[in-house]
Amino acid sequence: MKRRTFTLGAAASLALAGCSSGKFRSYRGPEVTSVVVNKGARSLYLLHHSEILEGYRVDLGFAPQGHKSAEGDGRTPEGTYLINRRNPNSDFHLSLGISYPNAQDVARARAMGKSPGGDIFIHGQPLAFRPKRPDWTAGCIAVKDREIETIYAMVRNGTPITLRA
């Protein structure tokens, strides 16, 4: 009788643990020292020095070719920036902010008489709608919700991110 009670209790505990998967995960592995986005391959990599820890397929801005030059152009920036903020209440599940625009981005946009834009993030899927095509963001890097949960846990503010063509 005691064995059966223990087995049922253990099974119930495991079932409840499986149901309680929230969006905030913990990570105790090697430090993510950089993030690399290869826009052409639609890939994002989390690295510990030269070792790839994780890789993901991504969606980009709706006009993915070229560097972001102005607000509303639909492009994802290219260059090296920093992860500079976290949004646990994002309209896109969770999100990590990218330090775009830098001084060069601002100068380039002003020379064209435009705003460089901003609010570029790595984020999950939208809460309000489901994208019907790839490369649907306004310039951000989008991954699946389960993937942003892992990325959010692994990547710290101040981590460099390089976005390549």
Side-chain angles (χ1 to χ4, degrees):
M1 181 72 166
K2 287 184 181 184
R3 176 180 263 176
R4 183 174 177 209
T5 303
F6 174 78
T7 303
L8 289 173
S13 294
L14 288 173
L16 287 174
C19 292
S20 66
S21 61
K23 65 183 182 178
F24 299 105
R25 298 182 184 195
S26 60
Y27 175 71
R28 289 178 176 61
E31 174 189 12
V32 174
T33 56
S34 64
V35 177
V36 175
V37 175
N38 182 326
K39 289 173 51 175
R42 303 299 189 275
S43 300
L44 179 148
Y45 299 99
L46 305 181
L47 290 100
H48 175 71
H49 302 293
S50 61
E51 176 189 356
I52 296 173
L53 300 173
E54 298 285 341
Y56 305 96
R57 189 200 165 287
V58 300
D59 286 323
L60 303 171
F62 60 82
Q65 302 297 321
H67 177 60
K68 183 167 195 62
S69 58
E71 184 173 18
D73 67 5
R75 293 186 178 140
T76 301
E78 295 173 0
T80 300
Y81 301 91
L82 296 174
I83 299 299
N84 66 350
R85 61 200 182 278
R86 311 169 84 67
N87 184 355
N89 300 310
S90 173
D91 287 339
F92 299 88
H93 194 58
L94 291 170
S95 59
L96 295 172
I98 298 172
S99 64
Y100 174 89
N102 61 26
Q104 291 174 313
D105 298 320
V106 172
R108 188 179 307 117
R110 285 191 179 150
M112 297 185 310
K114 298 185 175 188
S115 165
D119 285 338
I120 303 296
F121 289 85
I122 302 169
H123 60 65
Q125 300 299 302
L127 303 178
F129 70 96
R130 288 292 168 207
K132 293 185 176 20
R133 65 181 182 89
D135 297 333
W136 54 269
T137 78
C140 295
I141 299 115
V143 295
K144 294 178 178 151
D145 288 347
R146 298 289 287 168
E147 295 169 343
I148 191 61
E149 291 170 5
T150 301
I151 295 165
Y152 195 90
M154 293 177 73
V155 177
R156 299 285 155 239
N157 287 0
T159 302
I161 178 169
T162 301
L163 300 106
R164 300 179 180 149

